[in-house]
Amino acid sequence: MPRTEWVIRKKVEISLSVAAWNLGNGESAVFSCALETPSARALVDDLAARRCAKAFGIPTLGTGALLVLAKRRGLIDSVKDGVQSLRNAGLYLSDSVVRLLISEAGE
């Protein structure tokens, strides 16, 4: 696995208020961490998770938007290819969202 200097692994205690939303362990840990780190933005796609984040005032970013940002910063060559990989892996993205992402990426 490549080493990335900006990635920080952190053990997180899941807050009871987040646990009450009955999300998965990953989303619960991300939101609990975000509540401790006001400058954090949570990367989530699941609708229930987005509702939870909104209830707590946690800013979010979806995977598609992350692809657009990566393209704008020159980290990837194609949002379209990334979106197809996500779809192939089972992530649902509507055709209208895909068109928007590709348009935002200038492809």
Side-chain angles (χ1 to χ4, degrees):
M1 173 182 270
R3 189 174 153 94
T4 306
E5 298 300 322
W6 54 269
V7 173
I8 301 167
R9 291 189 79 160
K10 180 179 177 180
K11 191 168 192 155
V12 177
E13 183 83 24
I14 295 176
S15 79
L16 292 176
S17 57
V18 171
W21 281 79
N22 205 24
L23 301 171
N25 288 336
E27 285 131 342
S28 296
V30 166
F31 293 150
S32 296
C33 183
L35 289 172
E36 296 173 3
T37 314
S39 63
R41 180 172 285 214
L43 180 62
V44 293
D45 292 305
D46 181 76
L47 183 58
R50 286 180 177 270
R51 287 180 178 146
C52 175
K54 185 174 182 176
F56 285 107
I58 298 169
T60 62
L61 187 67
T63 305
L66 185 65
L67 288 173
V68 172
L69 289 173
K71 167 104 187 253
R72 288 179 181 167
R73 293 181 181 172
L75 300 172
I76 63 173
D77 295 325
S78 170
V79 166
K80 190 174 187 177
D81 292 346
V83 165
Q84 190 57 53
S85 293
L86 291 171
R87 282 180 150 181
N88 292 345
L91 181 67
Y92 173 76
L93 292 167
S94 69
D95 291 340
S96 61
V97 167
V98 170
R99 283 191 298 273
L100 175 65
L101 293 171
I102 291 169
S103 173
E104 287 292 317
E107 295 180 20

